[in-house]
Amino acid sequence: MRVRSRTAVVLLVALIALVVVGAAGVAVGQLDGQAAVLTVEDTANQLSPPDVDSDGHAAVGLDVGTAVAADAQRLAGLHDRLTLDERVADADDPIQRATIREVVDDAESRIATLESERDRLLAAHADGELSTPGLTSDLLRLDAAADRERALLAQLEALRDDPGVSFPSVDAELTALETADPMFEQPALDRIEATTRGDAGSQVAYVQTAPDGLVVATVGEEYVRQASLDSERNRTATNQFTDGDSPGWSAAIARTGEVYPWAFESDPGISGIRTGDVYKIDVAHPHGVLETFFDGGTTNVFREHQVGPPDTAPVTAVENTTEDGVELEIAVTHATAPARVTVTDEGQPVAGATVTIAGRQVGQTDASGELWVVQPAGPFEVGATTPDGRTLSVIGS
């Protein structure tokens, strides 16, 4: 199977120690942690932009307009794919090749436009010209457009493997498209979009933007975080994980263990997929699942996904305040992790209390008097207003 078509490897737990030890003699560049991956005690480390320009919360619920816009993109994509099938089926050898090359060229142009639009949105949010809810909505729109391109690339792969189709030599172009930033999975945005469709409960989304990075985290019944950092990617550098004909798996796995040592300490399940010089390493650990994307040129993580139950994040402090019998408590964890807010009245849970972070409404407590939120960076103020109008606040850090 071609590297571009996602050559996969599954490693047994028993092999991990051998891989990590055996890679000591492999030249993989930086042989320690990664500065942009923050160490978090008692859980998996996290990729985080070093210079955050702006951050904020957005309460996410049913949004028919956003859902309809996403559906429109995917419907247009279906039309594109049906048209491509028809054009290829009715053509002879040279026309088939020309048609497919034309489709690839058009996809290159559209994906480049998506990358430029993403950069513009992040800059607007960093400058304060675009609110966090506005950025979240626009990112959902871009991801729907990217879904259209992902489906098209999958169709091109199917045509590439069809012996009845004369396929042009565009492997390098397709690899570049598959590993362009908009083409990667967007688990946090996917969860938010499900909420806008009414397919999932309300979510609290948190967004950080940086000159070359983005973090989106959301928490409801499950915690989902995605992070990307463009400066850790070098598409033109030589793949340092490979040695001759070696695909570089031992070195890539060893590097994962260096950057995420805690995740490797508890007999994790590990699997991987390689596309070009990008190594996607999945690690199943006690707190959930870690998906990392290493660049062979830099040997660093440039994209990361984390998914798991919200109550597994280690609590570092509990802050609370009480007024008129009402207690507001927040179990503090760490930046961009899930934190639990609890409101009680004389020890009894308060359902329907409106919770704010830095003055922005992020949701309401459930029947247990609780609401999971994404903890922002630095000290933050959590406020709560009970259904009968009593208000109090507490500072977390």
Side-chain angles (χ1 to χ4, degrees):
M1 184 178 292
R2 301 183 314 283
V3 168
R4 182 174 59 78
S5 61
R6 299 191 175 96
T7 300
V9 61
V10 178
L11 295 103
L12 299 177
V13 173
L15 294 179
I16 295 174
L18 294 176
V19 170
V20 174
V21 172
V26 180
V28 294
Q30 182 177 331
L31 293 176
D32 52 12
Q34 180 179 341
V37 178
L38 300 184
T39 298
V40 183
E41 294 296 327
D42 300 322
T43 191
N45 294 346
Q46 291 187 335
L47 177 65
S48 300
D51 300 307
V52 176
D53 285 332
S54 184
D55 70 336
H57 287 82
V60 183
L62 182 64
D63 185 341
V64 175
T66 298
V68 168
D71 285 341
Q73 283 285 353
R74 295 185 177 103
L75 184 61
L78 176 60
H79 178 267
D80 292 343
R81 298 192 301 278
L82 291 174
T83 300
L84 174 58
D85 272 344
E86 292 176 359
R87 292 179 64 188
V88 169
D90 295 338
D92 55 17
D93 185 334
I95 300 300
Q96 283 183 340
R97 293 177 185 273
T99 297
I100 292 170
R101 189 172 292 279
E102 176 189 336
V103 169
V104 171
D105 289 343
D106 290 344
E108 286 178 329
S109 178
R110 290 192 302 269
I111 291 173
T113 299
L114 291 179
E115 289 185 296
S116 296
E117 178 65 4
R118 170 186 174 273
D119 292 344
R120 185 191 69 79
L121 292 173
L122 298 190
H125 184 258
D127 293 341
E129 299 173 0
L130 182 61
S131 68
T132 297
L135 174 63
T136 303
S137 179
D138 285 340
L139 288 175
L140 291 177
R141 173 178 54 82
L142 285 186
D143 190 41
D147 272 349
R148 174 180 178 178
E149 304 304 330
R150 295 183 195 111
L152 179 62
L153 292 181
Q155 172 135 357
L156 289 170
E157 283 282 358
L159 291 174
R160 171 67 175 79
D161 295 333
D162 187 339
V165 174
S166 297
F167 205 86
S169 300
V170 289
D171 279 3
E173 290 88 340
L174 290 179
T175 298
L177 292 179
E178 289 177 354
T179 55
D181 187 74
M183 296 298 101
F184 288 103
E185 303 160 4
Q186 309 277 349
L189 292 178
D190 288 345
R191 186 59 53 88
I192 293 170
E193 186 187 339
T195 298
T196 68
R197 295 176 178 277
D199 297 336
S202 61
Q203 303 275 319
V204 179
Y206 174 71
V207 179
Q208 283 183 347
T209 52
D212 62 348
L214 171 69
V215 174
V216 181
T218 185
V219 59
E221 294 182 358
E222 192 172 42
Y223 168 65
V224 185
R225 180 186 189 270
Q226 63 181 70
S228 60
L229 190 58
D230 296 344
S231 60
E232 302 291 3
R233 183 91 188 274
N234 188 337
R235 303 184 190 189
T236 61
T238 300
N239 185 351
Q240 298 185 60
F241 288 140
T242 62
D243 180 14
D245 295 330
S246 167
W249 281 114
S250 294
I253 295 295
R255 182 68 176 134
T256 309
E258 292 169 353
V259 178
Y260 300 94
W262 179 90
F264 270 58
E265 291 175 357
S266 54
D267 294 334
I270 298 179
S271 62
I273 296 174
R274 178 187 172 200
T275 305
D277 292 342
V278 174
Y279 294 76
K280 177 178 180 286
I281 311 294
D282 296 347
V283 183
H285 56 78
H287 292 178
V289 176
L290 165 70
E291 298 179 341
T292 64
F293 297 78
F294 280 85
D295 178 81
T298 65
T299 73
N300 281 341
V301 180
F302 67 93
R303 190 171 191 93
E304 174 197 274
H305 304 153
Q306 306 231 18
V307 180
D311 59 0
T312 57
V315 175
T316 59
V318 176
E319 307 291 349
N320 59 68
T321 187
T322 303
E323 293 183 22
D324 299 326
V326 178
E327 181 181 23
L328 169 62
E329 177 185 284
I330 179 167
V332 178
T333 55
H334 60 271
T336 74
R340 187 181 64 250
V341 176
T342 306
V343 182
T344 57
D345 186 357
E346 302 294 345
Q348 298 302 309
V350 176
T354 299
V355 177
T356 62
I357 295 182
R360 179 179 293 278
Q361 183 174 330
V362 294
Q364 293 185 325
T365 55
D366 60 16
S368 299
E370 297 180 348
L371 175 69
W372 286 100
V373 300
V374 179
Q375 181 172 316
F380 58 102
E381 182 178 24
V382 176
T385 302
T386 64
D388 61 4
R390 288 175 289 175
T391 300
L392 61 168
S393 64
V394 66
I395 302 296
S397 59

